[in-house]
Amino acid sequence: MSDIAVAVVGAETPGNVGTIARSMKNFGLSELYLVDPPELDPDGEAYAFAGHARDDVLPNATTVDFDHLVEHFYTVACTATTNQDARNHVRYPFLKPEELVDEIGDIDADVCIVFGRESVGLSNDELARLDRVCSIPASGSYPVLNLAQAATVVLYELRALTVESTQHPPDAHERADERELEGLYATFSEYLHDVGHPGEKIPKTERLFRRLIARAHPTGREARTMRGVLRRGAMRSTGEIPRPSDDGHDGDGDR
């Protein structure tokens, strides 16, 4: 995959430029181009909003003219407003952000995602010179997002192309194996008998519990913890574990 750059055309607010730089760093991008940017004072809001991107993405941003973007990149223009049909194709056809990965993932060219001004976005003349149009689905009554918010949404959707690893573990949820779950079902059955659940209702209750746990997909630790609670509850009901004393302590030292 070729590099993906970001360009901001005519930004009116330094803070938005800083926030976009921060989002770029969040999602693995570093190449920022600015067309007609506001003054970016190192002591001003752009750097204040940039987070750790103040150390690299923002100070390394390159100021260029619009022609540079057209001449050096396959460009994707981001806009809130789209045409209703194909009769006027300045803003049509368009991609949704989640479609970008498939669209640009195999392009043999450097790609630049282009954002426009806070007030008016990209002009029709600018859009006509760019290769592709992307628009974020939003409420028809108010589809215009803040510039930095829009950039964050689009860059997030590109993470499959730009982020090699995240702060998340490889497996966000590791389901308990079947042996652990069968142990939990057996312990629940023992619990039902120990607490005196009506015998004729036990098979149905066991089945309901199995269906509930199957939908929940507990982890191994969750399954083991539940087994411990059930065992303790059954022992308590049969008097094997003393009930807490008046001072809030269990007889076996637990709190």
Side-chain angles (χ1 to χ4, degrees):
M1 175 63 203
S2 300
D3 291 339
I4 298 176
V6 174
V8 185
V9 177
E12 300 157 6
T13 306
N16 274 329
V17 177
T19 303
I20 291 173
R22 178 174 184 155
S23 294
M24 290 175 62
K25 193 168 183 72
N26 286 146
F27 300 116
L29 297 102
S30 60
E31 192 174 355
L32 175 60
Y33 291 90
L34 303 174
V35 177
D36 297 326
E39 182 179 355
L40 303 180
D41 184 348
D43 295 322
E45 64 177 21
Y47 279 78
F49 290 179
H52 287 184
R54 72 169 68 89
D55 299 324
D56 44 26
V57 178
L58 191 54
N60 292 328
T62 304
T63 299
V64 298
D65 58 24
F66 195 84
D67 290 342
H68 180 90
L69 303 179
V70 175
E71 293 168 2
H72 290 83
F73 294 98
Y74 178 89
T75 50
V76 178
C78 296
T79 179
T81 306
T82 59
N83 298 106
Q84 297 300 311
D85 54 42
R87 290 175 293 181
N88 185 343
H89 50 78
V90 174
R91 300 171 187 263
Y92 185 95
F94 59 90
L95 297 164
K96 299 174 184 176
E98 62 267 27
E99 298 169 331
L100 279 175
V101 169
D102 289 338
E103 175 75 13
I104 67 177
D106 295 323
I107 290 177
D108 187 19
D110 291 331
V111 175
C112 188
I113 312 299
V114 184
F115 299 94
R117 305 157 188 84
E118 291 92 331
S119 57
V120 296
L122 295 166
S123 69
N124 281 346
D125 288 342
E126 290 165 340
L127 284 166
R129 299 184 64 194
L130 302 179
D131 298 301
R132 212 59 167 97
V133 174
C134 176
S135 185
I136 299 170
S139 170
S141 63
Y142 191 44
V144 182
L145 278 73
N146 169 273
L147 170 60
Q149 292 174 331
T152 299
V153 170
V154 173
L155 300 184
Y156 168 78
E157 292 293 349
L158 290 173
R159 69 195 184 282
L161 299 176
T162 60
V163 176
E164 293 184 2
S165 62
T166 73
Q167 80 278 23
H168 295 160
D171 295 313
H173 181 92
E174 186 173 347
R175 184 177 182 272
D177 64 36
E178 295 307 319
R179 193 165 67 94
E180 289 177 309
L181 293 177
E182 288 302 318
L184 173 59
Y185 300 144
T187 299
F188 180 69
S189 179
E190 294 169 2
Y191 172 83
L192 294 177
H193 287 86
D194 288 340
V195 300
H197 194 66
E200 71 278 8
K201 294 184 178 180
I202 286 179
K204 182 177 181 180
T205 305
E206 291 174 337
R207 187 166 59 252
L208 291 174
F209 184 73
R210 180 179 286 268
R211 298 290 185 266
L212 174 65
I213 296 302
R215 294 198 304 272
H217 300 297
T219 65
R221 180 174 184 179
E222 289 168 339
R224 291 189 295 273
T225 299
M226 291 177 66
R227 290 187 74 180
V229 170
L230 291 170
R231 285 171 175 156
R232 194 171 189 80
M235 293 172 70
R236 182 85 73 191
S237 71
T238 59
E240 295 183 49
I241 296 181
R243 294 194 173 277
S245 58
D246 291 340
D247 63 1
H249 291 64
D250 282 353
D252 59 2
D254 284 349
R255 294 179 182 270

